[in-house]
Structures are given as C-alpha cells and as structure tokens.
C-alpha cells in the first residue's frame, strides 16, 4: 500500500512537472505581449491659458497706466535667503543689483471680467503692473498681486519677487472756485 502511494505521488510529481514545463512558455509569452496603449484619461493635460500668469508680456489696461502712486517690491535672493525692498514710483525707473524695474500701472481692486482687467472698488486685490529686465532683456512684464505673492509673478533664476504694498495717489481734480460768503466775490 505504501508502494502504491509512493507510485501515485511520483506520477503526480511528474505530471505537475510536465504541466509546469508546458505552461511556462505560455505564461512568459503572455507577459511579454503587453502592448502600450494610451487611455484617454492618461493623456497629458495642457495647462489652460492663465490671464494672470507669468507670461513675459501681458497687456496693460489704460486705466491702470493712468493711476499714479508707488509700490514696494520685496526681493528674496534664493541662494542667501536675504530680503531686499525696492520702492518704485510711477514714471521712475529703479536699478537694483543687475536688474532694472519700472512701475507701469496700479490697481486697488484688480479683477477680470469677460476676459479683460477692471479696477473694481468693491474688491480688495491690490496689484502693480511692473516691468523687470536684466542686461537689456525683458524678464517679466505683468501684474504682481499683493494678496497672492506666490501664485503669480516672474520666474527668475536666483530671485523671488513679490508685491508688499502699494499706494495710489488721488489725482488733483479740478475744483470749482469757491465764492466768499462775506463779500460775494471770488477769493
């Protein structure tokens, strides 16, 4: 009885070995036959066109160009972690290190509506339109937002730039001449 069990076990062992030998090429062939196919959801997505983004040449609205005031920029030198402040005034140009800065426009409440920028008095979103160049080559021309310093702005090799604050001066509006109450004549 013991011999018959050993015989059956031997046949079973041989049968398993034969099945393994026969099925191995099929298993290996099945693994190597993987085809690379693109599935729609695997396709790389293109980034949408961001009108606020750090493109090198954004358009300046005329109303922003007419705003007069100042803006304070902060520059972080990445390799030393030192902070520098640069004060810009409307109509003036400032050189700092090897960079050239110009303040071109200001807004207290910048927002977009129907694809164009507007200065909305009901929105708190201070922004300055600046131009930054180095060695005569424009690096950035666009909006810097006080409330979103990390989201928008130029990508510069060793510098990070953001807007700390701005002041928009009120333009002198023409005043009607005041009539003196006591004499009835103009002063």
């Amino acid at each position: 009885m013991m011999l018959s069990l050993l015989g059956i076990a031997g046949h079973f062992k041989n049968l398993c070995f034969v099945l393994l030998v026969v099925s191995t090429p099929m298993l290996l062939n099945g693994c190597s036959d993987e085809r690379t196919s693109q599935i729609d959801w695997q396709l790389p997505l293109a980034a949408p066109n961001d009108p606020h983004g750090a493109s090198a040449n954004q358009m300046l609205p005329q109303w922003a160009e007419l705003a007069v005031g100042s803006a304070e920029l902060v520059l972080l030198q990445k390799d030393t972690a030192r902070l520098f402040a640069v004060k810009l005034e409307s109509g003036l140009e400032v050189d700092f290190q090897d960079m050239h800065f110009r303040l071109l426009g200001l807004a207290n409440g910048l927002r977009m509506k129907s694809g164009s920028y507007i200065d909305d008095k009901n929105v708190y979103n201070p922004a300055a339109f600046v131009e930054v160049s180095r060695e005569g080559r424009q690096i950035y021309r666009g909006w810097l937002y006080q409330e979103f310093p990390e989201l928008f702005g130029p990508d510069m090799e060793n510098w990070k730039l953001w807007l700390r604050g701005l002041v928009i001066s009120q333009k002198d509006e023409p005043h009607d001449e005041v009539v003196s109450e006591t004499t009835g004549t103009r002063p």
Side-chain angles (χ1 to χ4, degrees), residues 72-156:
E72 184 177 8
L73 304 181
V74 175
L75 287 108
L76 168 68
Q77 190 173 25
K78 293 177 185 177
D79 60 354
T80 64
R82 292 182 59 197
L83 291 175
F84 300 92
V86 175
K87 180 112 178 188
L88 302 176
E89 300 282 335
S90 295
L92 300 177
E93 299 179 6
V94 174
D95 288 319
F96 174 78
Q97 300 272 332
D98 62 343
M99 294 174 281
H100 184 78
F101 296 89
R102 288 182 18 187
L103 177 63
L104 302 175
L106 295 165
N108 274 324
L110 185 66
R111 75 178 183 98
M112 289 204 67
K113 182 176 182 181
S114 301
S116 56
Y117 292 103
I118 61 171
D119 192 9
D120 189 345
K121 305 301 180 201
N122 298 317
V123 173
Y124 180 75
N125 188 22
F129 196 94
V130 298
E131 182 179 85
V132 182
S133 57
R134 179 182 283 148
E135 298 173 0
R137 189 177 61 83
Q138 181 178 305
I139 297 172
Y140 181 74
R141 178 185 162 90
W143 290 104
L144 294 177
Y145 300 88
Q146 181 177 322
E147 297 301 310
F148 308 102
E150 292 296 323
L151 295 179
F152 310 106
D155 293 323
M156 299 188 304

Side-chain angles (χ1 to χ4, degrees), residues 19-59:
L19 286 174
L20 181 64
V21 169
V22 170
S23 64
T24 300
M26 289 188 296
L27 291 172
L28 292 176
N29 190 25
C31 291
S32 67
D33 195 27
E34 284 186 24
R35 291 188 186 119
T36 56
S37 61
Q38 289 284 43
I39 300 173
D40 288 340
W41 56 267
Q42 287 180 326
L43 296 176
L45 299 176
N49 185 15
D50 183 5
H52 299 280
S55 67
N57 198 14
Q58 296 179 28
M59 297 301 297

